[in-house]
Structures are given as structure tokens and as C-alpha cells.
Amino acid sequence: MSTTSLPAPDRSPRLREALLAAAFTADGLLDLLGAPAYAALARSETVPALRATRGDSSLEILVRLFLLQHPVPYERARAALPLAECLEDGWVIQTGDEVRATVDVRPYSGPEGQDWYIVSDLGCAVGGAGGIGSREEGVVLGVGGASTTLAGITVRTPVVSALDVGTGSGIQALHASQHATRVTATDLNPRALDFTRLTLALSGAAPAELRQGSLYEPVGTGTYDLIVSNPPFVISPGARLTYRDGGMGGDDLCRTLVQQSGDRLNEGGYAHFLANWQHIEGEEWQNRLSSWVPHGCDAWIVQREVQDVTQYAELWLRDSGDHRTDPAEYAARYDAWLDEFEARKTKGIGFGWITLRKSAAAAAGNPSVVIEEWPHAVEQPLGPAVQAHFARQDYLREQDDAALLAGHFTLAAEVVQEQVGLPGAEDPEHVVLRQNRGMRRATKVDAVGAGFAGVCDGTLPAGRILDAIAQLMNEDAVLLRDRTPQAIRLLVEEGFLEPVPPAS
């Protein structure tokens, strides 16, 4: 994998036209390769795709050249590309009667079906936890699972200014360019900024303001409506690889990134981060993360996975290809990881999402901070669900129990009820409400909760519904009103019930 000089972006529109004309797009790839070979590419397995591109069509030539990084005959490349320009600009090089790509170009479908291209170092279209086997310090990865996860959870409302911290190959800046008037992208690695420039140009997007430096240093005191970052969050002994190792002790890089974002968010603005955090002996991980939340911000933090220190070390040693080195060298590196964790009393590493929102209520000393563990499947893109979460927190913050009982609610779309119990039993052991959208949560409810949710159509206030349930169940209406608001709050907070705005 080369870290030589990169192509010039000036004539990218001509190359883009050729790629589109050949159907070198996400949809075109799927049609050509078929689902199994297409899925194998996401696992960094290229053999099925090579077998599917043994013909001489322009699309097959481009897949082998830019995606699989195999040499192609000069004449076939000339038929598929503006080859003279691509050679001059440095997208490809000629060796004898063959042409090779200098960079990895991966078709990528935008949220509204846009045909985009992510440009990265050779062999790095898919990396991170999938394992790129690179030990080159300045390598720049392409699109992977972490990249698409962050893009999916980001709130996509129109904004004036967006900041992508640690832009890498530019995928987050590319997404932001669709709904932000001005995009700024930063990276410690100048090569990453060059790749971001290529990604934006080849995708037909507006250029971003590119600044080199660590964390927020390149932007000074500037403030933004949106901040996104898929940082080098790996907790490792040292900083061997810029694309993944933070270079600070433990999880300090992620903590610093999150804590310093509050001063750079405009009122109502969102910040989205992927992060790793340590699970320390004798310390609750929730308390650790709560201390990261900056003043003036609400927060929603979701832990998606936890690995013990041995699993974590092995994952990232494989990522850099250390498992294929001399066994003694591998053992020494493994030992160094475990020494680091032992010194910091780290028993596990959590991975997840951190979303902040700057709000007046939080600035006034009444923040909403929700920290939870949710390892289950979710529906992406999750951005609308993230925005709805904070809207529900705003609503609940303003409602005392009396106001809650006077409110009107509807059951959220695609919530279903499941009854669990022994076959033939007269009554179920318990009732479960389950979401089929967004976070796809499930929660147990009692007979009152199930009955209440089932009749919430926005017509009657919550108190009136409870009075009717009390009469049907021969319960004391006053006692039922007293004990139910907390259950209603939970159903609203988790998105099972949606408040109906008062009629204007």
C-alpha cells in the first residue's frame, strides 16, 4: 500500500463522468457482482469479486482497477477512462502495457441515492475492526462500519456550519455537504485532507475548508451548528497508527474531544461522536461518561458493545497485521497492551455513540443526560430517532405529573403488543410493547400500561383514560392517577408514546 503523492482533483468531473457512464456505482456493483460477492467485499475478501469480473466490459475493468487494485490492459483502460488525463493527474500509472490505480476508489450511495465515491489508500476501502493489516503510520482508510454508523446516527437538519474532526477520507464531510452551507474538515494527517479533497471532488460535492491539526486546535474559537467525529479512538500503548491510535493515555482523547465540544457548539447544535471508553475497577462506567458531558449540553450516550482486555488487544493487533509477524514480536506487543490495561486498572473497553445537544435548559443547570447500554439491532439511519429523543426530553423536562395527566398521547408508529405466557393460560404472564422502528426497543408493561397504550389515539387526556381503566378494573381512580405518571414518563422517554401538541 503506497503513501506516495496523490492525484490532482482539478479534472475529477471528467473522471466522474466516465465512472457514471460505466455504471461504476453502488447499484452497478451490486448488479454486476451479485449479493454474495458484494457482501464479501465488506469483509475485505476480493476473490468472489475477481471471479465476477473476468469479462472486458468497462464496468468490470473499473472494478478490477480501482476497487480490487489489479492491473488492467492499457487498451481496455483507455476504453473505460479519459486515460491520458488520469495518467497525467496521477489516478493511475502505466507499467508496460498495463495500468494500475494509485488510489482506492469505492462507489458509495448517498442518503438520497446520490452516486458518491470514497477515495482512500490502496487496500483500505474497508478497514478498522475488519483488519487492514497495515503498519504504515500515515495510511488513510476508506469507508467502513464505523464510518457508516456515525453517518447514520447524525441529525441531518439544514445548518449553516458543520465541523468534521479527524476527517480521514472525508465521508462525514461529504454527508455534511448536503445540508450544511459551510463545511470545515480537520485532520492531524495532511494526507487525509488530500483524500478528503479527492472524495468531495469525485463525488461532485462542494469543496470543504480543510485545516490540519489535532482535535479543535485548527479551528480556534470557531463555533458550529454540527460537529461530527469518528476519531482515532483505539485505547492502545502508544500511537503507532495515526488513523486509529489517539496518542493520549487511556481514553483521554475521546474524553477531551467530547468535553471541549461544548464551547464550540452553537445553541441548538448537535455533536456526534464514536468513542471507546475504559471500564475501570471500582468505578461505574456510567459515572465515568457522565463526567465527560460539557456544561450547557444535553447528552445521549449509548454503549453498544463491551470487550474484555484480551479480546480488545487481539482485535487491534489483527487490525495492524501484528498476528502475522514473528511470534515473539507478536507476544511482546500483546504483553505491552496488557501491561497498559493493568497499569490503568482497566477490566474492559466499551464502544458506542455519544450525542450532545447545546440547550438553554442545560445551560440553566437542568441538563438531560441519558446513559444506557443497548447492544441490540437498530434501524439506520437513526438520525431522526436521535432528534426525536431530545425533543421528548424537552417535553418531559417541562411536565409535572399534573401536566402529564392533562396531556394527550398517541402510540408511536409500528409499536406492537406481544403477550407472553403458557399456552392455554387465561391471562398472560406479562405483556411486551415492541418497536419495529428506530431503536427497536421492547418493554414489559402491566395490564394498566397495556390498556393505556392501546387506547392512546390523541383524543382523550391521559387522566381521563386512567379513570376509565380504573372503572373497568375496579381500581381506585385516585390511586391509579397517583402511581401511573412515572410509567407514562418511561413510555414517552423510550419513544413508545408520542405527545400530541396542544391545538393552536
Side-chain angles (χ1 to χ4, degrees), residues 375-439:
H376 311 293
V378 299
E379 180 194 45
Q380 287 277 32
L382 204 61
V386 172
Q387 189 174 11
H389 165 88
F390 286 99
R392 293 193 300 269
Q393 295 301 317
D394 287 343
Y395 170 83
L396 291 171
R397 247 187 314 219
E398 297 168 356
Q399 309 298 312
D400 60 17
D401 286 355
L404 205 64
L405 292 174
H408 295 240
F409 303 91
T410 59
L411 191 65
E414 297 195 35
V415 172
V416 297
Q417 176 179 301
E418 300 173 358
Q419 298 189 50
V420 180
L422 294 173
E426 184 176 346
D427 296 310
E429 293 179 12
H430 59 261
V431 175
V432 174
L433 299 181
R434 187 179 301 278
Q435 301 168 353
N436 288 318
R437 304 295 303 274
M439 290 292 284

Side-chain angles (χ1 to χ4, degrees), residues 108 209 212 224 394 420:
Y108 178 77
E209 180 183 12
Q212 183 185 355
Y224 300 86
D394 287 343
V420 180

Side-chain angles (χ1 to χ4, degrees), residues 182-393:
R182 183 177 73 257
V183 177
T184 302
T186 73
D187 206 289
L188 181 64
N189 183 0
R191 187 175 176 81
L193 300 179
D194 291 336
F195 272 117
T196 294
R197 186 180 289 110
L198 292 173
T199 289
L200 293 172
L202 195 58
S203 297
E209 180 183 12
L210 305 176
R211 299 188 184 184
Q212 183 185 355
S214 178
L215 300 181
Y216 300 109
E217 179 271 330
V219 299
T221 59
T223 60
Y224 300 86
D225 303 311
L226 174 68
I227 298 173
V228 293
S229 184
N230 176 16
F233 53 67
V234 176
I235 299 170
S236 60
R240 292 172 59 209
L241 303 174
T242 301
Y243 73 86
R244 70 170 205 191
D245 299 327
M248 297 185 184
D251 51 21
D252 282 355
L253 183 135
C254 291
R255 175 186 56 79
T256 302
L257 184 64
V258 173
Q259 286 182 335
Q260 293 183 358
S261 65
D263 293 334
R264 290 163 177 84
L265 271 180
N266 293 327
E267 179 70 20
Y270 285 91
H272 302 274
F273 308 98
L274 298 186
N276 274 177
W277 43 79
Q278 295 165 286
H279 284 229
I280 303 294
E281 292 179 14
E283 179 182 359
E284 294 293 333
W285 67 270
Q286 295 93 334
N287 294 339
R288 183 178 190 81
L289 290 177
S290 179
S291 72
W292 291 12
V293 178
H295 175 74
C297 289
D298 301 315
W300 186 20
I301 301 174
V302 181
Q303 180 167 273
R304 296 287 288 161
E305 182 181 5
V306 181
Q307 290 186 315
D308 68 46
V309 293
T310 60
Q311 292 173 312
Y312 190 80
E314 291 162 13
L315 170 68
W316 294 107
L317 287 167
R318 287 195 304 272
D319 171 75
S320 55
D322 287 300
H323 62 306
R324 292 193 291 269
T325 63
D326 175 73
E329 182 181 348
Y330 173 74
R333 291 199 181 277
Y334 200 149
D335 260 334
W337 284 71
L338 297 185
D339 285 344
E340 174 79 5
F341 293 138
E342 184 176 338
R344 295 182 179 276
K345 298 183 178 179
T346 303
K347 60 181 181 179
I349 306 294
F351 168 80
W353 320 321
I354 298 176
T355 297
L356 306 176
R357 185 192 57 166
K358 195 76 169 284
S359 77
N366 187 25
S368 165
V369 178
V370 176
I371 302 175
E372 62 176 317
E373 187 163 17
W374 188 254
H376 311 293
V378 299
E379 180 194 45
Q380 287 277 32
L382 204 61
V386 172
Q387 189 174 11
H389 165 88
F390 286 99
R392 293 193 300 269
Q393 295 301 317

